[in-house]
Structure formats: structure tokens, C-alpha cells
Amino acid sequence: MSPLSAAIILIATLVTAFISGIFGMAGGLILMGVLTALLPVATAMIVHGAIQMVSNGWRAWLLRKQINWVIFARYAAGSVGAVLLLILLAWRPDKTIVFLLLGCTPLMVWVPRNIIDLDIQKRGQAEVAGFIVQALNTLAGVAGPLLDLFFVRTDMTRQAIVATKSATQVLAHLVKIAFWSLPILAAAGEIHIPPLWLFAFAIPLSMTGTWLGGLVLARMSDVDFKRWMRWLVTVIGVVYLARAAGFL
């Protein structure tokens, strides 16, 4: 890995952790795109998973009193089915498909609520979220906007939303790392994980960005939180669709 690539990854880690610290999402979308552009897909998935596990885990810890553990447990139960299905299919997308999935996922925030009535607090919906979100997160690397659809109609506070989503994403990224490690092991040295020193720098940067984002979140209203989140992920989605189409 060149020094320039390492520097880009570390800067992106700090900035995207800050964004995710505010919105509980979006940062992971940006970081996944950066890593996919610089690294082989399997390597990018593992690096992204490791960084995001720390970022989400730290965010969940900072807001641990706000986590809805009942929802988390139901989500985890649904994710088991997704893991079994992905293992049976044993399919992994290439870079173009990854960018396409990254582009389409954020646009889900614009699905009219009267068309799809999602609420993760309702019976059976946390389990459905666990299945669908886990599958998409494993294949595309990110599924925050889809997960958000299950939270936008709840009566939970912004802190509870971010905290509970962060807890579920720790699980999601752990599964992603395991799933994408298989091609790395099968490559027998043809694909390399970045050096450990990169992770040594990335982890504290991710934690710092998450902490700074949490300070902004505390000052933001619930209305502004949901409005800015929608427009931010939309812009990101359009950029990734352009990338998948070869315009960027």
C-alpha cells in the first residue's frame, strides 16, 4: 500500500466516523466507497468491517444507556437466516456491483411511508430488518439507509435510534468480516490485508471522530437530524450510481 493510499484511508476514517457519530450512518457509505476504489473488494470489505466495528462499537458504548436491547435481540435473530442463506449461495459481487448497491441503498430513504409501513418496534419487523439488512450489509458493505427505514417511524429519540442502530451494526460488520475473509484465505497470498499499523492509526481516529460527532448530535434537534440525514445519503447515492455507470 502506498503512503498516499494509507493517508487517504486514515483521513477518510476520521471524517466518516465524525459523520456517523452524528447520523449513525452515511459515514460508512463514504468510507466503503473510498476503500473499494483503493483496494480489492474482499480486502476493502474486511478493512471497512474492522473500522466500522470499532466506530459503531464505540458509539454504542457512549450511548449504551439508550440502546433498546429487545430490538437488538430480535434483529440478531433475523440476521441468522441471512447468514445461512449467504453461506449457501457463496456469491460475492465485483466492484461495479458493489458501487451499484451502494448507490441504490441510500435512495431507499425516499420510499413513501404510505407504500411501505416499516417500524422496527412492531411485531416481526425487527426480525425482517435483521434478515434484509444483514444480507445487504454483507454483500455491499453498508446497509445503513435501509436500516434507517425501520427506525424513521418509531417514537424513539435520536439518541436511542443511533445507539440501537450502532449495536446492530457491530454484529453486521462482524459477520461481513467473516464472510469476506474466505476469499482472502483462498487466495493464498495473492490478496493482502493492509499492514497492522494502518489499523493501529485508524482505530483511535475512528473513536475520535465518533466522539466529536456525538457532541454535534447532542446539539441537534430530532427534526434537523432526520432532514439532514435524508439529503446527505441521497447525494452519496447519486455519486455512487454515477461511479457504477462509469461517469466517475
Side-chain angles (χ1 to χ4, degrees):
M1 175 179 293
S2 69
L4 178 59
S5 295
I8 292 174
I9 291 174
L10 291 176
I11 293 173
T13 298
L14 176 63
V15 174
T16 56
F18 172 73
I19 294 173
S20 288
I22 301 173
F23 298 106
M25 58 182 288
L29 273 168
I30 300 172
L31 182 61
M32 189 67 237
V34 172
L35 293 173
T36 303
L38 295 174
L39 304 170
V41 173
T43 305
M45 291 289 183
I46 295 174
V47 174
H48 182 270
I51 294 174
Q52 287 295 293
M53 271 188 62
V54 173
S55 180
N56 281 281
W58 182 237
R59 186 160 59 249
W61 172 255
L62 293 175
L63 297 171
R64 59 191 179 280
K65 294 182 180 180
Q66 303 290 335
I67 296 175
N68 188 318
W69 289 109
V70 173
I71 289 179
F72 174 82
R74 292 169 52 203
Y75 172 95
S79 69
V80 172
V83 173
L84 295 176
L85 177 62
L86 291 174
I87 291 175
L88 289 175
L89 293 178
W91 174 75
R92 293 168 178 83
D94 58 18
K95 284 194 175 187
T96 300
I97 299 299
V98 169
F99 278 119
L100 181 62
L101 291 173
L102 287 174
C104 292
T105 301
L107 302 183
M108 294 178 182
V109 300
W110 293 102
V111 176
R113 296 181 182 180
N114 59 346
I115 293 180
I116 301 180
D117 182 20
L118 299 179
D119 184 340
I120 203 164
Q121 294 175 305
K122 292 182 177 180
R123 179 180 299 179
Q125 293 210 20
E127 292 81 1
V128 172
F131 181 88
I132 299 176
V133 173
Q134 183 64 71
L136 181 60
N137 188 84
T138 303
L139 294 177
V142 183
L146 175 59
L147 180 61
D148 185 65
L149 288 178
F150 288 89
F151 281 90
V152 293
R153 300 194 70 175
T154 68
D155 56 8
M156 300 167 64
T157 66
R158 63 189 183 281
Q159 290 91 347
I161 289 174
V162 172
T164 306
K165 285 168 58 179
S166 296
T168 65
Q169 289 303 282
V170 171
L171 173 62
H173 290 299
L174 178 61
V175 171
K176 181 177 68 179
I177 291 173
F179 182 79
W180 284 94
S181 292
L182 295 178
I184 296 289
L185 297 174
E190 295 179 15
I191 301 177
H192 299 281
I193 297 297
L196 292 179
W197 62 261
L198 182 71
F199 293 98
F201 282 105
I203 288 174
L205 286 173
S206 177
M207 295 172 68
T208 300
T210 298
W211 173 71
L212 292 173
L215 297 179
V216 176
L217 175 65
R219 296 176 175 272
M220 184 179 292
S221 69
D222 288 341
V223 174
D224 288 339
F225 169 78
K226 293 180 179 180
R227 182 176 67 247
W228 283 104
M229 178 178 61
R230 175 173 292 192
W231 283 108
L232 176 62
V233 297
T234 298
V235 171
I236 296 171
V238 171
V239 171
Y240 284 148
L241 287 177
R243 177 68 176 81
F247 296 130
L248 295 175

